[in-house]
């Protein structure tokens, strides 16, 4: 039998990913009550993005959660490389950036989410409802005033001054609001993700290996693994899968001969591979009265350049002061969120343009002339102030986003040795 429950809070966040939990933590530190609805009952995100740019690291560090996420297991990466066989065509060295954020950080997403969730549970006013799938929005006089979710044998209505959709690239909240995803078929590739057990074979880089028409992305992953992204023609996976796991492994071994033994040992079936449908997208509107979209719910990106988590965390940090001011004024009409939209729309547009250029540079045609151009670009990035400026923009965002710690009013409770989390 299904029961019906109702609670009241200040902000209802839908989705317990990096964007949703970071925003929840920011608001809780500012004395705002927050309820988070999450459809999953666990934090496992096996093939989600792992790489934190320096800008994202800075935000998490300011929130006091980066250390816990790192301690659970992470890998420092020195930068990006474009490799053609044994030749490095492009080398973007993050060690040229100022410490302590002079590297990329590959953090398994469960480690990051657990650190954020632990920090939220240490603050008053937090309610966490996992296993609850959003099924409707509450509206009064054209304004969103809450969300309805089903799960754990009940229907739950959360009434709030504002609802924030942070439930990902296939956002149910966005769909319930009747907002189109704005999908753009800007990329000619999908990515097949998998991990290889690779003790003592770490590369300390994010590498794109040009291998004919199917480049491969490789980076270290904790513990002692390599995360591989094999690019396939857009929507071409069914044809590849029909050849069987043996043929897939042979093609992968030919693309990455240095890891052929690991491919043979680590992949046993097609089920060990996870397909990411690569597309770009920007919702036509990110705000309604009482509703805000952030992260992948508002804008979706290629995994190229490792910008997804960075942008999500920056969205949360940028929305925090704007939403706080709206709550204090008792007015969450869409006009209140104009400062957030103005800043983040420009940043997202810039990343989309950059990723389109990266895709052409890394996945475009090879040959002596193209390779010479890439080598020249590599020299500019390595040696000139312009190159360092480009690297900074990729690493920290343009403009960079800082956490408004001056708005924090609530300190975390003392950490228990073995914290227990109760459901709100």
């Amino acid at each position: 039998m299904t029961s019906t429950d109702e609670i009241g809070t200040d902000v209802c966040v839908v989705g317990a990913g990096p964007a949703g939990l970071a925003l929840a933590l920011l608001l809780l530190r500012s004395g705002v009550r927050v309820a988070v609805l999450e459809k999953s009952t666990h934090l496992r995100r096996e093939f989600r993005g792992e790489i934190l740019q320096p800008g994202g690291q800075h935000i998490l560090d300011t929130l006091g959660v980066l250390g816990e996420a790192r301690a659970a297991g992470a890998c420092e990466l020195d930068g990006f490389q474009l490799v053609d066989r044994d030749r490095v065509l492009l080398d973007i060295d993050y060690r040229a950036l100022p410490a302590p954020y002079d590297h990329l950080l590959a953090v398994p997403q469960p480690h990051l989410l657990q650190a954020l969730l632990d920090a939220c549970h240490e603050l008053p006013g937090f309610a966490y409802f996992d296993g609850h799938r959003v099924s409707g929005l509450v509206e009064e006089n054209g304004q969103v005033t809450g969300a309805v979710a089903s799960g754990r044998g009940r229907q739950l209505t959360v009434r709030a001054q504002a609802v924030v959709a942070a439930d990902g690239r296939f956002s149910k909240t966005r769909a319930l609001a009747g907002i189109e995803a704005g999908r753009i078929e800007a990329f000619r590739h999908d990515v097949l993700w998998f991990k290889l057990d690779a003790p003592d074979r770490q590369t300390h880089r994010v590498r794109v290996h040009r291998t004919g028409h199917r480049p491969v992305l490789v980076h270290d992953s904790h513990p002692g693994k390599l995360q591989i992204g094999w690019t396939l023609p857009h929507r071409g996976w069914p044809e590849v899968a029909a050849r069987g796991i043996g043929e897939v492994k042979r093609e992968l071994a030919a693309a990455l001969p240095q890891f052929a033994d690991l491919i043979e040992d680590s992949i046993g079936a097609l089920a060990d591979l996870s397909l990411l449908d690569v597309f770009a997208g920007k919702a036509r509107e990110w705000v309604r009265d009482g509703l805000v979209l952030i992260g992948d719910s508002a804008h979706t990106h290629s995994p190229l350049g490792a910008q997804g988590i960075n942008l999500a965390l920056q969205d949360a940090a940028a929305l925090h002061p704007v939403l706080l001011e709206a709550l204090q004024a008792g007015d969450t009409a869409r006009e209140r969120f104009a400062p957030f939209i103005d800043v983040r729309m420009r940043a997202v547009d810039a990343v989309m343009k950059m990723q389109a250029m990266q895709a052409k540079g890394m996945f475009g045609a090879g040959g002596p002339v193209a390779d010479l151009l890439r080598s020249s670009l590599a020299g500019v990035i390595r040696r000139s102030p312009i190159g360092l400026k480009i690297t900074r923009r990729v690493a920290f965002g343009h403009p960079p986003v800082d956490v408004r710690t001056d708005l924090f009013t609530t300190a975390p409770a003392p950490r228990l040795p073995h914290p227990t989390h109760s459901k709100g």
Side-chain angles (χ1 to χ4, degrees), residues 63-393:
L63 286 172
V65 299
L66 183 62
E68 180 179 332
R70 283 194 65 141
C75 300
E76 284 193 11
L77 306 171
D78 293 339
F80 290 91
Q81 287 184 336
L82 177 63
V83 180
D84 191 338
R85 299 175 182 85
D86 296 327
R87 292 184 302 151
V88 176
L89 303 179
L90 184 63
D91 190 350
I92 302 176
D93 185 5
Y94 272 51
R95 295 297 177 182
L97 298 172
Y101 309 115
D102 56 351
H103 55 271
L104 299 159
L105 193 66
V107 182
Q109 201 161 117
H111 297 178
L112 173 58
L113 298 182
Q114 190 64 62
L116 286 165
L117 191 57
D118 286 346
C120 287
H121 275 294
E122 291 172 359
L123 294 162
F126 181 57
Y128 181 59
F129 301 98
D130 62 353
H132 283 74
R133 185 183 297 270
V134 67
S135 56
L137 295 174
V138 181
E139 295 189 43
E140 297 177 11
N141 300 319
Q143 173 145 342
V144 176
T145 58
V148 179
S150 301
R152 299 191 181 277
R154 67 175 174 181
Q155 179 171 287
L156 175 67
T157 299
V158 180
R159 296 191 178 273
Q161 293 185 62
V163 174
V164 178
D167 49 344
R169 65 211 298 257
F170 301 110
S171 171
K172 181 66 179 294
T173 313
R174 182 186 63 217
L176 288 167
I179 299 174
E180 296 178 3
R183 177 169 173 142
I184 305 167
E185 300 293 353
F187 302 98
R188 298 179 181 178
H189 299 86
D190 291 331
V191 180
L192 196 69
W193 289 108
F194 57 95
K195 289 185 178 181
L196 303 177
D197 292 318
D200 304 320
R201 303 276 287 274
Q202 307 294 280
T203 68
H204 306 292
R205 300 283 194 284
V206 178
R207 285 182 174 151
V208 177
H209 294 261
R210 289 177 55 84
T211 57
H213 62 293
R214 291 183 184 171
V216 185
L217 292 79
V218 181
H219 71 77
D220 304 348
S221 181
H222 178 82
K225 295 179 181 292
L226 293 175
Q227 178 144 311
I228 314 292
W230 188 34
T231 60
L232 301 173
H234 192 41
R235 296 178 179 167
W237 170 235
E239 179 184 344
V240 174
R243 301 174 196 163
I245 188 61
E247 181 59 29
V248 169
K249 289 167 69 171
R250 280 190 289 274
E251 287 194 42
L252 285 168
L256 294 173
Q258 66 272 48
F259 300 128
D261 58 326
L262 304 181
I263 291 168
E264 180 59 35
D265 293 341
S266 298
I267 302 175
L270 293 175
D272 296 330
L273 313 173
S274 179
L275 183 69
L276 175 66
D277 176 14
V278 176
F279 61 89
K282 189 173 76 169
R284 55 185 171 82
E285 52 184 327
W286 295 3
V287 294
R288 293 271 180 87
D289 292 348
L291 175 69
V292 187
L293 277 59
I294 64 172
D296 281 358
S297 298
H299 46 84
T300 301
H301 305 268
S302 159
L304 194 63
Q307 288 292 323
I309 301 177
N310 217 45
L311 289 169
L313 294 172
Q314 289 173 340
D315 280 359
L319 178 60
H320 163 233
V322 177
L323 180 52
L324 189 62
E325 183 177 332
L327 294 171
Q328 291 170 342
D331 179 9
T332 56
R334 62 186 303 158
E335 292 78 16
R336 280 277 178 180
F337 301 108
F340 167 74
I341 296 298
D342 290 345
V343 170
R344 297 310 296 156
M345 278 274 193
R346 290 199 303 271
V348 165
D349 287 343
V351 168
M352 285 185 165
K353 290 178 181 178
M354 176 194 70
Q355 288 193 324
M357 293 173 62
Q358 287 175 323
K360 291 179 180 178
M362 293 188 178
F363 299 154
V369 174
D371 289 348
L372 179 61
L373 289 173
R374 293 184 180 98
S375 296
S376 299
L377 177 59
V380 170
I381 292 177
R382 278 198 307 269
R383 295 187 295 269
S384 74
I386 294 176
L388 183 58
K389 183 178 180 180
I390 293 171
T391 302
R392 282 179 179 270
R393 286 193 175 189

Side-chain angles (χ1 to χ4, degrees), residues 36-57:
V36 174
L37 299 172
E38 167 57 41
K39 66 180 180 182
S40 178
T41 57
H42 57 75
L43 298 177
R44 294 190 297 275
R45 306 287 193 272
E46 280 301 318
F47 293 101
R48 303 295 178 87
E50 293 188 353
I51 296 178
L52 291 174
Q53 293 277 357
Q57 295 173 50

Side-chain angles (χ1 to χ4, degrees), residues 11 23 26-33 161 318-332 336-337 404 406-409:
V11 176
L23 178 64
L26 287 158
L27 293 172
L28 291 164
R29 290 293 306 274
S30 299
V32 175
R33 297 176 302 159
Q161 293 185 62
L319 178 60
H320 163 233
V322 177
L323 180 52
L324 189 62
E325 183 177 332
L327 294 171
Q328 291 170 342
D331 179 9
T332 56
R336 280 277 178 180
F337 301 108
R404 288 286 304 276
D406 59 302
L407 300 176
F408 289 174
T409 60

